[in-house]
Structures are given as C-alpha cells and as structure tokens.
Amino acid sequence: MKAGLTSADVKTGGIVLNSLHKRYGRATAVDSVSLTISPGEFVSLLGPSGSGKTTTLMMIAGFELPDSGQILLDDKDITRLPPHRRELGVIFQNYALFPHMTVAENVAYPLRMRRMPKAEIETRVHRVLDQVHLTALASRYPHQMSGGQQQRVAIARAMVFEPPVLLLDEPLGALDRKLRQHLRNEIRTLHKEVGKTMIYVTHDQDEALAMSDRIAVMHEGRIRQVCAPQDIYRRPADLFVASFVGEVNLIPVKLRSGVLQGPGGEDLAAAHGLEADMDATLCVRPEHLRLDKAVANPRGVQGRIVDMTFIGDATIVEFRTEYGLQLMSKVLNVSAETLPGIGDACVASWVANDASVLKE
Ligand SMILES: Nc1ncnc2c1ncn2[C@@H]1O[C@H](COP(=O)(O)OP(=O)(O)OP(=O)(O)O)[C@@H](O)[C@H]1O
Ligand SMILES: [Mg+2]
C-alpha cells in the first residue's frame, strides 16, 4: 500500500484478463483476449452475434473455464475458482426472477443463501431497493411489474451482497427502445453513484457509446480495439471497427508522388498523414462528408445526389461518384435552404482531420 493511503482508499474491483482462450469442439469462441479493467471502470464488450462476448463474461463469472489464460480480480488469480466464491454480481438478459417471491424476497435471496442475520438482510435490501428506486414496489410480485422494473429488480439482486464487480450480459435486450434508453441512463447513474466496476456486454453500439468509460470491440473471438467511445468512433483501428461502430463512408485512396488521389484519381489535396506511395482506405463519417454544388468546390470527389431520406433531426443524402462509389452524407435539419436536390451535381469533401486512414 502506498504511504498515506488507508485501506478504505484502496478501491477494489480491478480485473485483468490475460490471454484467454476458449474453444468449443473445433470452433474458437475466444481467442487471446487480454484486457485490464481498473477498479470502478465501466467497460463494454461490443461485437456482433457470436463474437465471444458472453463466453468472455462467463469465464470472468466462473460459469465457463478458459482452455488457457488467466483471470485476476484485485491481483488474485480467480481463473479456476467456482462462481460462488468469486463474489461477482451477474445479470443476464433473461432476468429470471423467482415468480413466487416478492421484489423484496427476490432481492434478499442471495443474502439468505449466505445465511446473513435477518436484521442485516432487511437493512441491505432496503438500501439497494432505494438505490434502484424500487422501494415503493417492494411487496409486488414479478408478474405485477413491467419488464424494465423487473430488470431493475435483477440489478438490485446482483448488487445486494455488494460485489466489487457487476457483470451484465445484454440486460436490456428484451426491452423496447425508449425503455432501453431510459434504463441505460439509470445504469450509468447507478454506476456513478455506487462506483462499482461494471463489465457490460452488448451488441448495440449506441448503448456502448453512451454508457462506457471504455469499449472493447470484439470480432471472431478477438478484441480488435479497446478505447474510450470518442476514440473508437473517431479513430477506428481497422475496417471492422470502422464499419461496426456507427455509419461510415469507406473511400479507396492512393498516395502518388505526394498527392492523395481519390477513387477516380482526383486530387484530394490533404495528405491525411500518408507518407509513402501506398493504397489505403479513408474512413469518413456521414456527418463529416460535406456536399457542395459542383462549382463551389473544384477539389474533392465529383458526383450526383441519387437519394435523400428525411429522418427527423437530419437528412441522409446518398451521393454517387462519377466512378460508381456510393457515399452518404448526414445533414442536420437546422435550416432547409442549403440542401441540394436529387440529381444535382455535387462535390464531396471533408476536413482531413475528420477522416481516418486505414492501411489494410
Ligand atoms: N456452449 C457452447 N457450445 C458450443 N459452442 C458455443 C457454446 N457457447 C458459445 N459457443 C460458440 O462460441 C462462439 C461465441 O459465442 P458467444 O455466446 O460468446 O457470442 P456472443 O458474442 O455473446 O454472441 P451474441 O451477441 O449472439 O450473444 C459462437 O460461435 C458460439 O456458437
Ligand atoms: Mg451473448
């Protein structure tokens, strides 16, 4: 312990995953996954179906054993410890409350299993129900509550024995969009209030972007990138991350004699950090792709508007270059006057710093 720190200052809930591997038969589910999570951090595992998110979480929880690799909780090796001795709170997508128990009884259950004294159970259940704003519903049964309320009970039940880490596997998957948004804010607030480490599995990029301190993007069992949401979005490490997180325009480019050439050989002016003669892919988000009337901007990629879709706060403008590359621009509907129309000749351009270069 560092000088000047008392034991109360030392935060718990640090997780280290060291080169985890897991196969089912001949198929690799998790492949060399390494990740260090700080005490109190909110980390999302984000990836498409089958990318190994649940398997990774189950290995942390102890319901699956890795074939190789190591899991540390606060520097202690827990790789082969049975789940109940890890003291981690786990919340699944199908929250499976006990139907014959009230909310308070459901939440008390883990404490009763631990044979905690009755008075202590009551105090703790009271406290945790207050934290998830369910005190008023304490004596209801699961079937008398909405899906969102039931999910909050599941969260309370996982928190009640005060584990240093909460593991959440798509906890909002079964709920409608509005409720998901509402509950994700609640979970985020709860995270700030209780300061526990949370590892949150989702395939919903908006959820991961909105909630996480850091996102680990998974694909085919591997972590492709782990960064703060802004960096995942602005500086994706590869084509998979660029396309999976957010909408993106992928523009094939080449650097020849110091000039960045677009797909039709256009001079795109800014070198975007490319050095030698090379081929690459430029990744430009739709909100960064600017469309101007052809005459206004002689540099950039020439083409025509082929479609426009009004989506409320913005309009999605589909643009096809002279060479057949389809690009997308997202224009906020702050004023209608600047929008060109379908069929108009335009030039697409962007600020170099808003594009990332992927050399694959
Ligand atoms: N018990 C199992 N037996 C055999 N294969 C399994 C088992 N569990 C998972 N797998 C396989 O391992 C891979 C990773 O599965 P996993 O459940 O971790 O994916 P996931 O990222 O959680 O996907 P989803 O978003 O669909 O929940 C998949 O190819 C899956 O079919
Ligand atoms: Mg899963």
Side-chain angles (χ1 to χ4, degrees):
M1 203 181 297
K2 278 188 207 146
L5 281 183
T6 68
S7 60
D9 294 327
V10 179
K11 290 193 75 179
T12 56
I15 297 263
V16 176
L17 309 181
N18 233 332
S19 200
L20 291 180
H21 284 262
K22 178 71 184 178
R23 297 166 72 95
Y24 292 108
R26 288 170 59 192
T28 299
V30 169
D31 191 3
S32 316
V33 162
S34 294
L35 182 62
T36 299
I37 298 169
S38 307
E41 198 176 14
F42 193 119
V43 172
S44 292
L45 305 181
L46 172 69
S49 185
S51 57
K53 308 180 297 291
T54 295
T55 308
T56 303
L57 206 72
M58 289 300 108
M59 290 192 287
I60 301 172
F63 297 114
E64 293 283 358
L65 282 181
D67 299 325
S68 62
Q70 205 187 21
I71 302 166
L72 306 179
L73 169 60
D74 296 325
D75 299 328
K76 192 174 112 201
D77 189 333
I78 59 165
T79 317
R80 294 185 180 273
L81 216 58
H84 65 276
R85 295 195 41 215
R86 299 186 184 205
E87 297 285 312
L88 304 173
V90 185
I91 296 144
F92 298 105
Q93 176 176 343
N94 42 357
Y95 22 84
L97 299 175
F98 301 113
H100 58 288
M101 291 185 194
T102 64
V103 167
E105 286 162 358
N106 263 284
V107 174
Y109 183 79
L111 304 181
R112 291 220 316 273
M113 293 304 287
R114 287 171 171 76
R115 302 190 190 290
M116 194 174 269
K118 233 177 163 174
E120 169 87 25
I121 293 182
E122 246 174 57
T123 314
R124 288 224 198 178
V125 169
H126 207 81
R127 185 165 60 219
V128 79
L129 285 181
D130 190 41
Q131 278 173 334
V132 298
H133 311 294
L134 280 177
T135 310
L137 305 185
S139 52
R140 289 223 195 150
Y141 287 89
H143 72 271
Q144 299 170 314
M145 293 187 301
S146 72
Q149 289 164 339
Q150 293 183 41
Q151 191 53 284
R152 281 181 2 227
V153 178
I155 292 172
R157 191 174 59 180
M159 282 181 20
V160 75
F161 61 92
E162 305 197 338
V165 181
L166 285 181
L167 307 174
L168 304 100
D169 192 354
E170 309 247 10
L172 311 181
L175 308 173
D176 69 52
R177 210 171 90 94
K178 271 274 176 230
L179 194 53
R180 287 176 75 108
Q181 279 180 359
H182 176 68
L183 273 177
R184 85 182 181 203
N185 293 339
E186 284 201 357
I187 293 176
R188 187 78 187 125
T189 307
L190 188 70
H191 174 254
K192 287 196 187 112
E193 285 167 6
V194 299
K196 288 187 192 309
T197 307
M198 293 196 184
I199 307 180
Y200 190 95
V201 162
T202 180
H203 62 263
D204 182 328
Q205 38 148 325
D206 292 337
E207 218 162 85
L209 290 169
M211 297 175 84
S212 319
D213 293 322
R214 281 189 306 155
I215 300 173
V217 181
M218 293 191 72
H219 180 51
E220 294 178 345
R222 288 174 172 263
I223 293 182
R224 303 293 289 256
Q225 185 172 14
V226 46
C227 277
Q230 294 87 337
D231 297 327
I232 292 274
Y233 189 78
R234 288 189 60 87
R235 294 287 172 248
D238 58 34
L239 285 173
F240 174 78
V241 176
S243 323
F244 189 71
V245 183
E247 299 291 333
V248 71
N249 292 297
L250 297 174
I251 306 172
V253 293
K254 40 191 188 231
L255 192 75
R256 294 288 179 267
S257 319
V259 176
L260 185 71
Q261 297 176 347
E266 314 86 335
D267 172 5
L268 295 180
H272 293 81
L274 286 176
E275 285 128 31
D277 279 7
M278 64 182 304
D279 294 355
T281 301
L282 271 191
C283 158
V284 184
R285 299 290 179 190
E287 67 274 25
H288 293 144
L289 192 88
R290 189 194 151 103
L291 295 175
D292 289 298
K293 286 269 166 61
V295 283
N297 187 351
R299 273 191 159 156
V301 182
Q302 311 275 337
R304 265 178 207 286
I305 293 180
V306 290
D307 202 7
M308 295 172 73
T309 310
F310 174 75
I311 57 163
D313 60 340
T315 297
I316 303 297
V317 184
E318 302 275 350
F319 171 87
R320 187 174 299 138
T321 71
E322 292 172 352
Y323 304 93
L325 182 70
Q326 189 110 350
L327 301 174
M328 196 200 312
S329 171
K330 182 176 183 180
V331 187
L332 278 184
N333 290 330
V334 280
S335 73
E337 54 183 326
T338 52
L339 280 185
I342 294 176
D344 284 358
C346 282
V347 177
S349 62
W350 53 88
V351 174
N353 196 37
D354 286 336
S356 11
V357 184
L358 302 173
K359 302 163 199 173
E360 272 189 326

